[in-house]
Amino acid sequence: NLLSDRIHPPTPHPTKHMALFKCILAALVLATLATVALATPPYQMVADGTCEDIGMETITDVDVCLAAGIDVSNDPTKSYAGKQPDGGYQFTTAAITRGCVFASGNTKTDLQFFPTAKGACGVDSYHCVCGSKTSSTTPAPAPAAPAAGPVPLGTAGDFVILTKSGISTVPTSDITGDI
């Protein structure tokens, strides 16, 4: 029997392999779900202390603040208080909460922005809207314009170039055909 097993090894059992595959797949799915569940939300309301105390960042950009307020309130029409100046209130006192805030943590109220204030979350009942370190608390730079390059036409058939004022070429271009 041992000799025949060496000459003709036993055929692997497909059901056993499938069960092992399903077990590994289930473990991967559970690990992924656990990671997603533990991920920090991009924005979070904080009643006292600072955003940094909980591993987040104070929002100091007016556009990011508005995006965060919309996200936290789940209200796409959320806006700033009508009397707020462009760029937010420019107070520099510790008696006012710094950053992006909702009065009393009430997301039904207007969003307010105090980028230069010095106060912690909760001062004068203003709750901070904080940004996670994985979300941007400053605006993303404008994307660079794509580099001009050849347009591969591959096996394109006949085509027409439409222009309002005429066709010109540059030294590296080549426009041929019935112009």
Side-chain angles (χ1 to χ4, degrees), residues 18-32:
M18 185 57 79
L20 178 61
F21 172 75
K22 287 180 180 178
C23 184
I24 291 171
L25 182 60
L28 288 172
V29 168
L30 288 174
T32 302

Side-chain angles (χ1 to χ4, degrees), residues 159-179:
F159 61 91
V160 176
I161 299 174
L162 301 175
T163 177
K164 184 175 182 178
S165 60
I167 298 174
S168 65
T169 64
V170 293
T172 59
S173 68
D174 186 22
I175 299 175
T176 60
D178 185 10
I179 300 178

Side-chain angles (χ1 to χ4, degrees), residues 113-140:
F113 185 56
F114 300 94
T116 56
K118 308 286 186 219
C121 305
V123 171
D124 203 21
S125 296
Y126 284 102
H127 294 201
C128 298
V129 179
C130 304
S132 71
K133 292 188 178 186
T134 57
S135 70
S136 179
T137 55
T138 56

Side-chain angles (χ1 to χ4, degrees), residues 151-159:
V151 177
L153 298 175
T155 58
D158 294 342
F159 61 91

Side-chain angles (χ1 to χ4, degrees), residues 65-84:
C65 179
L66 183 57
I70 289 169
D71 182 75
V72 168
S73 68
N74 199 27
D75 178 359
T77 65
K78 183 57 61 189
S79 63
Y80 289 111
K83 61 186 177 192
Q84 177 175 295

